[in-house]
Amino acid sequence: METWRIVATSAFLVGGLVMVLVGMAQARDRKGVRPGDVRRAALIGLVVVAVVAVLIAYLLPSVVAWGVVGATALAVVFITMWD
């Protein structure tokens, strides 16, 4: 496996896990939420992050992979700094 794939996958995993945590927090903050809703948000988010990480690691071309990593980084900065 090429080095750029390892770096891109690792960078995406860090940003993806932050996005999963943000999604869990938003699910928790909704009114009328049931206890299973936060777990469901975590499960769905982790599955999506895992699938995209595998795609970056093995299938996607470099431009697309780095585009996904960049979009994830921008989303993390935008969502965590929004107030």
Side-chain angles (χ1 to χ4, degrees):
M1 184 180 305
E2 296 96 350
T3 303
W4 71 265
R5 288 194 182 270
I6 295 170
V7 173
T9 303
S10 301
F12 174 75
L13 284 173
V14 169
L17 292 178
V18 170
M19 294 298 288
V20 168
L21 291 174
V22 169
M24 290 172 61
Q26 289 179 349
R28 184 196 64 215
D29 290 343
R30 286 190 208 119
K31 292 185 180 188
V33 67
R34 293 176 296 192
D37 290 342
V38 176
R39 286 190 293 269
R40 187 177 311 115
L43 180 64
I44 292 170
L46 289 173
V47 167
V48 169
V49 167
V51 168
V52 174
V54 168
L55 288 174
I56 290 172
Y58 294 108
L59 190 64
L60 294 177
S62 64
V63 174
V64 176
W66 285 111
V68 170
V69 171
T72 304
L74 284 174
V76 167
V77 169
F78 182 75
I79 289 174
T80 56
M81 298 298 173
W82 184 267
D83 194 9

